[in-house]
Amino acid sequence: MNAGQPAEPRIIAEDLVKRFGSFVAVDHVSFRVGRGEIFGFLGPNGAGKSTIIRILCGLLRPSAGRALVAGIDVARDAERVRERIGYMSQKFSLYRDLDVEENLKFFGGIYRVPRAELGERIRFAIDMAGLGGREHALVSNLAGGWQQRLALGCAVLHRPPILFLDEPTSGVEPASRRRFWDLIHALAADGVSVLVSTHYMDEAEYCHRAALINQGRLIAVGSPEELKNTALGGDLLLLECEMLGPTLAALQSAPGVLDCSVFGNSLHVLVGSAERSLRELPDYLAQRRLPPTRLVRIQPSLEDVFVQLIAVDSAKRRAA
Amino acid sequence: MRWRRLKAIAVKEVLQIWRDPRSLMIALLLPFTQMFLLGYGVNLDLKHLPVCTFDREGSQLSQALFKHFQASQYFTIARNVTSYAELTAAIDDATCGFAIVVPPDFSERLNDTGSAPVQAILDASDDNTANLALGYATAVVAGYSADVQLHWFDRQGRPLQQIEPMTVQSRVWFNEDLESRNFIIPGLVAVIMALVGAQLTSLTISRERERGTMELLVSTPVKPVELMFGKLAPYLVLGWLDAAFCLVIAALWFAVPFRGTLVALFLTTTLFLVAVLSIGYLLSVLIRSQVGASQIALVVTMLPTVLLSGYVFPIDQMPTVVQDITYLLYSRYYVTILKAVFLKGSGILELMTPILFLAVYASAVMILAARSFRKRLD
């Protein structure tokens, strides 16, 4: 597992544990997020992503471990942390019966944005969210994508150095999602550290680094490239053949093969070395009268990596 | 505490109240309708109670007694019956609440001995009315007896001034007409304000929870006191409006004499409102659902205020234990204050004790509410 340490850590999680009764929602999680870094949390629903974010925002007290945000211990001084962060909760939580500008003014007041700057900050947020001309539209009348961008606007109104975004793109159509990620990148370019969770695996590509979370544990951390290249612990081959079932069975015990799974009407074969297996596997299968019609090395998508890692991790836990 | 944040909360609350015209209408109309409904509904005065007479003698003297009843504003003779069966029927079907029976030997005994019993039959299914009726009937009969006695002495040739016994000249203060309305209506204002006040704020926090806005709110640096004062302020203004409605209706429509000063009324009403609004807010903090909070608010404000504040039921007639409990009830002090300000014209100085109690109460509830608000989700 690669956990490259950022130079200027703004968020430090050390051995965080959160138990609800006997249920362990967060299980010894450690990571660091640097200045201007976009750090993604990926994982299935209920993996513990929101719980970790809530701990870092000071909304939940960790059962064990330590969380430093902007250098402040969250468990000790949550109020000082709250002044330095922006938060978008998973559930939309702006006031739907207020209009766009009223919501922004409200958060401007709550965060005590200097009055002289407030007008300009609100203008910036409205432009950023693309809500120009809709300043007086009630939030309940806005479409999902606009609502989410407004929520981001409210979260950055006080120029926090750290942003926590909990599934900000869930339920938003693809074009709007893309636009949302552009905004996140613009903020990160200004030095804002962004911790963002998502259950869309493809969105990991937009992150500088991503952490895969399953059942409360970090099972892989790294840049998208690192994850694709090393997290699987081998190379990935695509195999097309006549008889899927028997081929799958034969491959399970083939030399050099680590794992094999059905992928559509082809097979994904994880091998220790692509070179060796590309050389040896056709013969191995031909001897068993199962000659492949096609065998090539492929670059795994992040989805491949995650599906594979989560399957392995879940199997390991069941065995334990 | 930061003024800026408090203001942001207050402005947001005002906008939300404004955008929800239905609940705003309820907040403004409820006290209005309650005032009229309860103001007319609750009346402890007995006027023109229908009376059934059964004259078993039919003499001049017995008819004179009935005339005394007819002349009194408390009774109206509705039926004259000639048998007990008819009398029973009149009481049973509630055409009469009171019956008076003159015995056949009424005149004879009166002339012989100077005294004669008459029978009164009361429908005590409403014991309050029955008690009042009995009291007034005794007074009417006593008045008649005095007349008869005078005649008797007169016939004996005794000078009248000799038989003047000791008399009580009573003078009623503060509610000269002994109008029950005059002491009920000021208390009614307290009942309505307790009901409306706590209802207004009982929804504020639970609404944030139910709409999902609470999670974001607690992630901001807003302090529990800022949140509380920011949320209470707009409702205090609404409460002032409601109280002004009620008090104006009491003084102008129901013509309850107002002898105090507006300053005393404003100060005490504000204190009471703060106490009641804080109770609603505290419940809103403690109880997660809007419906639950408003139900409990109803039970802890309206019920004890009606029963234990002395609004209708006099506290000094309650068992000692219950009397002691009433000291714990904030509305008790406001009812006392309102009656005193309206009827006695008491000022702030005379009312120092109940004012202090109210102030302590309001502060205690607010401290409790601010402390029970947690900025964490677990």
Side-chain angles (χ1 to χ4, degrees), chain A residues 7 24 30 35 53 64 66 71 144 159 166 174 178 190 199 209 237 255 259 266 304 313 315:
Chain A
V24 183
S30 303
R35 182 178 186 279
I53 291 178
R66 203 161 71 116
R159 295 179 186 269
D166 196 357
R178 183 67 217 227
D190 285 342
H199 63 258
R209 281 191 307 145
L237 305 181
D259 192 49
S266 59
D304 291 322
D313 184 63

Side-chain angles (χ1 to χ4, degrees), chain B residues 222-302:
Chain B
V222 71
K223 303 242 178 337
V225 268
E226 293 161 349
L227 186 66
M228 179 174 73
F229 287 127
K231 276 180 172 283
L232 290 186
Y235 290 106
L236 180 62
V237 175
L238 211 52
W240 274 330
L241 272 177
D242 281 342
F245 272 164
C246 291
L247 293 165
V248 165
I249 292 172
L252 299 185
W253 185 268
F254 288 111
V256 177
F258 180 75
R259 299 183 174 120
T261 62
L262 285 177
V263 176
L265 193 62
F266 178 76
L267 179 86
T268 53
T269 300
T270 304
L271 264 181
F272 179 70
L273 277 173
V274 170
V276 179
L277 293 171
S278 313
I279 290 173
Y281 181 81
L282 174 65
L283 290 171
S284 189
V285 169
L286 297 178
I287 298 161
R288 302 230 143 220
S289 81
Q290 289 195 54
V291 180
S294 104
Q295 294 290 317
I296 304 273
L298 197 67
V299 173
V300 304
T301 53
M302 182 85 171

Side-chain angles (χ1 to χ4, degrees), chain A:
Chain A
M1 213 192 298
N2 185 317
Q5 297 304 314
E8 273 183 77
R10 287 259 185 80
I11 304 170
I12 301 174
E14 280 173 359
D15 267 331
L16 281 185
V17 177
K18 179 67 187 176
R19 281 183 286 265
F20 295 107
S22 63
F23 174 67
V24 183
V26 178
D27 192 0
H28 297 280
V29 165
S30 303
F31 63 90
R32 284 165 184 239
V33 181
R35 182 178 186 279
E37 186 177 24
I38 301 173
F39 191 84
F41 268 5
L42 289 101
N45 288 329
K49 304 186 296 285
S50 295
T51 308
I52 300 174
I53 291 178
R54 283 171 169 175
I55 291 172
L56 295 172
C57 292
L59 298 178
L60 293 175
R61 200 183 286 275
S63 310
R66 203 161 71 116
L68 295 177
V69 173
I72 304 159
D73 188 330
V74 182
R76 283 219 191 109
D77 201 352
E79 285 305 318
R80 272 177 67 218
V81 169
R82 289 186 180 120
E83 286 172 9
R84 291 163 174 78
I85 61 167
Y87 174 49
M88 256 181 87
S89 58
Q90 188 175 359
K91 202 176 155 221
F92 182 73
S93 40
L94 297 186
Y95 295 95
R96 290 168 207 268
D97 47 354
L98 263 53
D99 71 26
V100 168
E101 198 176 276
E102 287 161 353
N103 266 292
L104 287 162
K105 279 187 178 159
F106 173 70
F107 286 100
I110 290 291
Y111 284 107
R112 298 194 298 135
V113 173
R115 282 177 206 277
E117 284 175 36
L118 188 59
E120 177 209 331
R121 298 295 303 160
I122 288 178
R123 197 65 248 161
F124 166 80
I126 287 174
D127 290 342
M128 181 187 86
L131 284 165
R134 297 189 180 230
E135 289 85 347
H136 300 294
L138 282 191
V139 169
S140 55
N141 296 337
L142 295 178
W146 307 72
Q147 287 188 345
Q148 292 304 85
R149 289 202 296 273
L150 176 62
L152 182 66
C154 289
V156 300
L157 203 63
H158 57 295
R159 295 179 186 269
I162 299 154
L163 261 183
F164 293 101
L165 311 176
D166 196 357
E167 305 216 353
T169 54
S170 98
V172 174
E173 81 268 23
S176 278
R177 273 167 57 192
R178 183 67 217 227
R179 172 140 190 223
F180 198 92
W181 278 99
D182 290 342
L183 294 178
I184 296 176
H185 273 271
L187 289 164
D190 285 342
V192 177
S193 303
V194 184
L195 198 164
V196 53
S197 76
T198 176
H199 63 258
Y200 297 113
M201 296 298 178
D202 59 306
E203 291 191 334
E205 303 275 2
Y206 299 126
C207 301
H208 296 138
R209 281 191 307 145
L212 183 63
I213 302 173
N214 189 39
Q215 297 179 41
R217 279 203 304 200
L218 286 198
I219 56 177
V221 183
S223 70
E225 280 310 303
E226 286 170 329
L227 287 171
K228 280 187 269 194
N229 293 334
T230 62
L232 285 182
D235 299 331
L236 196 66
L237 305 181
L238 174 87
L239 187 148
E240 288 172 7
C241 59
E242 303 276 317
M243 285 173 287
L244 223 52
T247 310
L248 182 68
L251 282 170
Q252 303 285 9
S253 51
V257 171
L258 303 174
D259 192 49
C260 186
S261 56
V262 179
F263 202 89
N265 52 7
S266 59
L267 295 172
H268 277 190
V269 189
L270 185 66
V271 295
S273 155
E275 265 172 64
R276 188 185 139 204
S277 293
L278 280 172
R279 215 169 42 233
E280 294 173 358
L281 273 184
D283 291 344
Y284 177 83
L285 289 169
Q287 283 164 19
R288 285 160 182 75
R289 299 207 179 82
L290 296 163
T293 49
R294 184 163 172 243
L295 180 67
V296 287
R297 181 177 183 178
I298 53 166
Q299 168 78 298
S301 71
L302 276 173
E303 190 158 353
D304 291 322
V305 175
F306 293 151
V307 169
Q308 178 71 20
L309 288 178
I310 286 171
V312 170
D313 184 63
S314 298
K316 241 191 285 180
R317 277 163 198 260
R318 273 193 299 275

Side-chain angles (χ1 to χ4, degrees), chain B residues 198-215:
Chain B
Q199 284 297 312
L200 288 176
T201 44
S202 69
L203 303 178
T204 54
I205 293 291
S206 38
R207 186 169 50 213
E208 301 257 6
R209 284 207 191 97
E210 283 188 7
R211 294 189 184 170
T213 50
M214 184 52 91
E215 176 153 359

